[in-house]
Amino acid sequence: MNNSFYDTLNKNFNYALELYQKILTHEEIIRMLNEGNTLQKQIAAIKLNSITCENDADALIKNLTGQDGKVREVVAFRLNEFLQKQELHKFFLKRQNYNIFLDAIVDINGNICRNTISAISNLKIYPDFCNYFCSALVDLTNKLISIVEKFDFQDGKYKVNKEVFKLYWCLETLSIFTNCVNFDILKEILLKSKDIEEYTIREKTAKILSNIICDEDLSLIKKQLKKDSNYYVRRF
């Protein structure tokens, strides 16, 4: 690597350090979230101390998707922090946000998925959120199952891994929101997901079954998964 690369690297590092150490007003932080470059948005999300209105929440959430991974990851982490506080929930309860949450739970970065799921689990107490979000979640889950169940898991293609990864996180989210999904709809999903070759999908199927009251059909599936060849599936 030539000297210009290291010069640029040092320049960026020094700028990041300077920006991080700089005292910024709340308004400046929100402006950076709305208008800044990748580095500015990343640091703004880190330095955001409070959510005071819907505009603040919007500035944060709009960076949860469609941005550089460094930005998305810190935004998901901060979102999880803010949504632990019930008094802030009111600023995030807009339907356009629910679609962003749905995209974020199937991000390519598992840390973003995990933090987003943890964050929105705090919104289970709101019927409008549950009805809208869970309906969209069920649709996405069924769409992914219809794709994944046709895969040949021996071919090792990246597409296989990507779609399985998304389905894995959809089922993980469903395990949190089982009480918000119609039993028959959930049962239909589980009857399909139990047969998918990829063990991580069966693992999440078993996890969901451990969280609900099963009828005769699902009780049988639960017993079958208890005898699965994979330990991570059997443990539930």
Side-chain angles (χ1 to χ4, degrees):
M1 297 183 183
N2 56 38
N3 290 335
S4 62
F5 171 82
Y6 291 106
D7 289 342
T8 301
L9 189 63
N10 289 332
K11 183 178 179 181
N12 290 341
F13 176 81
N14 290 333
Y15 174 66
L17 183 61
E18 178 184 350
L19 188 59
Y20 182 76
Q21 292 176 333
K22 184 178 180 180
I23 297 176
L24 299 170
T25 66
H26 183 78
E27 291 72 22
E28 288 174 323
I29 290 172
I30 296 301
R31 191 179 306 118
M32 285 170 59
L33 283 171
N34 283 321
E35 304 171 5
N37 58 31
T38 294
L39 179 58
Q40 290 168 336
K41 288 183 174 184
Q42 186 181 15
I43 291 177
I46 293 172
K47 292 176 72 70
L48 182 65
N49 291 322
S50 62
I51 298 290
T52 62
C53 61
E54 280 192 356
N55 287 337
D56 292 353
D58 291 346
L60 184 69
I61 291 177
K62 76 182 210 177
N63 289 295
L64 186 59
T65 60
Q67 301 293 322
D68 183 272
K70 294 186 291 293
V71 175
R72 302 196 316 275
E73 186 162 0
V74 70
V75 167
F77 179 80
R78 298 310 312 282
L79 178 69
N80 190 25
E81 286 188 323
F82 288 126
L83 284 182
Q84 303 300 321
K85 303 174 182 178
Q86 189 170 345
E87 66 271 19
L88 299 183
H89 291 179
K90 60 187 176 183
F91 300 130
F92 293 88
L93 295 172
K94 294 167 64 174
R95 286 200 170 187
Q96 54 262 47
N97 294 339
Y98 305 165
N99 294 321
I100 296 174
F101 295 153
L102 186 68
D103 288 339
I105 66 165
V106 291
D107 195 281
I108 195 171
N109 182 325
N111 290 328
I112 296 169
C113 305
R114 190 175 295 105
N115 275 310
T116 302
I117 293 169
S118 177
I120 65 175
S121 69
N122 295 287
L123 302 181
K124 288 171 61 178
I125 59 177
Y126 303 101
D128 182 71
F129 169 75
C130 289
N131 291 337
Y132 186 94
F133 177 80
C134 289
S135 176
L137 174 62
V138 165
D139 288 344
L140 178 58
T141 303
N142 280 321
K143 178 182 177 181
L144 289 167
I145 286 176
S146 68
I147 295 171
V148 171
E149 64 186 357
K150 298 173 185 176
F151 284 155
D152 177 1
F153 284 90
Q154 303 303 315
D155 64 12
K157 291 181 180 178
Y158 173 74
K159 180 180 179 181
V160 172
N161 295 330
K162 183 175 70 171
E163 301 303 330
V164 168
F165 188 77
K166 290 181 179 181
L167 179 56
Y168 172 95
W169 288 111
C170 280
L171 292 173
E172 173 65 16
T173 308
L174 277 173
S175 76
I176 304 296
F177 287 89
T178 52
N179 293 337
C180 305
V181 179
N182 176 274
F183 178 82
D184 290 333
I185 292 174
L186 186 60
K187 177 178 177 178
E188 184 180 351
I189 289 173
L190 298 174
L191 287 172
K192 295 176 183 176
S193 61
K194 73 176 178 65
D195 291 326
I196 292 177
E197 292 181 49
E198 170 57 42
Y199 84 87
T200 58
I201 303 305
R202 300 198 309 280
E203 176 192 355
K204 291 306 173 187
T205 302
K207 181 176 181 179
I208 293 173
L209 287 168
S210 72
N211 290 341
I212 63 175
I213 298 174
C214 298
D215 64 5
E216 184 177 351
D217 293 331
L218 293 184
S219 294
L220 179 60
I221 295 172
K222 190 174 181 178
K223 289 180 181 178
Q224 291 173 343
L225 292 177
K226 280 288 188 182
K227 300 177 182 178
D228 196 272
S229 60
N230 187 281
Y231 163 77
Y232 293 101
V233 179
R234 294 196 306 272
R235 67 188 173 128
F236 288 106

